[in-house]
Amino acid sequence: MKKIILLITTLFLSFFLLFDTVKAEEKKVYWNVGGTTEDAGLKQVLISNGFASDEIENITKIVFYDNSKSNTSIDYDNIYEFDLSKEQDKSVIVATKGTEIYIQFNGTLYFNAESNYMFYNFSNITSIEGLEYIDTSEVTMMNYMFSNCEKLQTLDLSNFNTSNVISMS
């Protein structure tokens, strides 16, 4: 009887260890923004994907939107919807609604190790929302991340993990 209980316990624990291993190997979602020059920032990426620079000047809000955590859908203006994922697998989509940009994904969006110039030069942005859905644990460089965002009024960075960040100039 003891052998059967031990065998069942061992099988039970093995199943949970296997489940945890599979769970830990879930695919991470990265977006194709950030790098070593201002050309790698979101504004330049939008321009290179068809946004007109004068339309970007009118953008007042950026919203990170985790589809898996919301039951509401957004009626996008789909004119400028495109894939912004690093892997080009449509795991990160950008869409517009008026003067707002929505960056939508499922699960957790990881910022790249080099996240310099990410929101650089969005001079009319007043808010960036949904940053609680972002994982910054792998970021090492955050230089000029919010530079020239003169109208930015609120910014909640309380969920940013900056333990690996080397530079934030």
Side-chain angles (χ1 to χ4, degrees):
M1 183 68 168
K2 288 182 180 182
K3 288 182 180 183
I4 292 173
I5 293 173
L6 183 61
L7 179 63
I8 291 172
T9 305
T10 304
L11 289 172
F12 185 74
L13 289 174
S14 297
F15 171 76
F16 280 104
L17 288 174
L18 177 64
F19 178 75
D20 282 346
T21 303
V22 170
K23 187 176 178 182
E25 293 176 9
E26 288 178 11
K27 181 181 175 202
K28 293 182 177 183
V29 176
Y30 295 90
W31 69 333
N32 197 23
V33 176
T36 57
T37 68
E38 64 187 80
D39 290 342
L42 180 58
K43 186 172 186 177
Q44 294 304 317
V45 169
L46 293 174
I47 290 170
S48 67
N49 281 280
F51 279 75
S53 58
D54 60 331
E55 291 174 309
I56 292 175
E57 292 303 319
N58 294 325
I59 299 297
T60 59
K61 181 160 79 171
I62 297 173
V63 179
F64 288 91
Y65 186 76
D66 181 355
N67 290 323
S68 69
K69 293 195 171 48
S70 178
N71 294 327
T72 59
S73 61
I74 299 168
D75 182 24
Y76 300 113
D77 292 343
N78 294 330
I79 297 169
Y80 294 114
E81 186 175 308
F82 67 93
D83 185 356
L84 190 61
S85 63
K86 191 171 189 175
E87 299 296 325
Q88 293 296 286
D89 60 1
K90 298 186 180 181
S91 58
V92 183
I93 299 291
V94 170
T96 61
K97 181 171 178 60
T99 61
E100 300 174 358
I101 293 176
Y102 287 83
I103 300 162
Q104 59 184 12
F105 47 92
N106 287 317
T108 302
L109 178 62
Y110 287 79
F111 277 6
N112 301 318
E114 288 190 4
S115 290
N116 302 311
Y117 298 99
M118 192 161 294
F119 304 105
Y120 176 78
N121 226 11
F122 273 98
S123 57
N124 289 310
I125 290 286
T126 57
S127 68
I128 301 173
E129 298 177 5
L131 290 172
E132 66 270 18
Y133 302 121
I134 306 303
D135 188 312
T136 57
S137 63
E138 298 178 10
V139 177
T140 58
M141 306 297 282
M142 289 183 167
N143 298 315
Y144 307 101
M145 185 177 267
F146 302 101
S147 183
N148 294 335
C149 296
E150 291 112 16
K151 294 185 180 176
L152 189 59
Q153 297 170 359
T154 60
L155 190 61
D156 181 3
L157 302 177
S158 61
N159 290 313
F160 269 30
N161 176 346
T162 58
S163 61
N164 288 318
V165 175
I166 299 166
S167 180
M168 290 185 189
S169 67

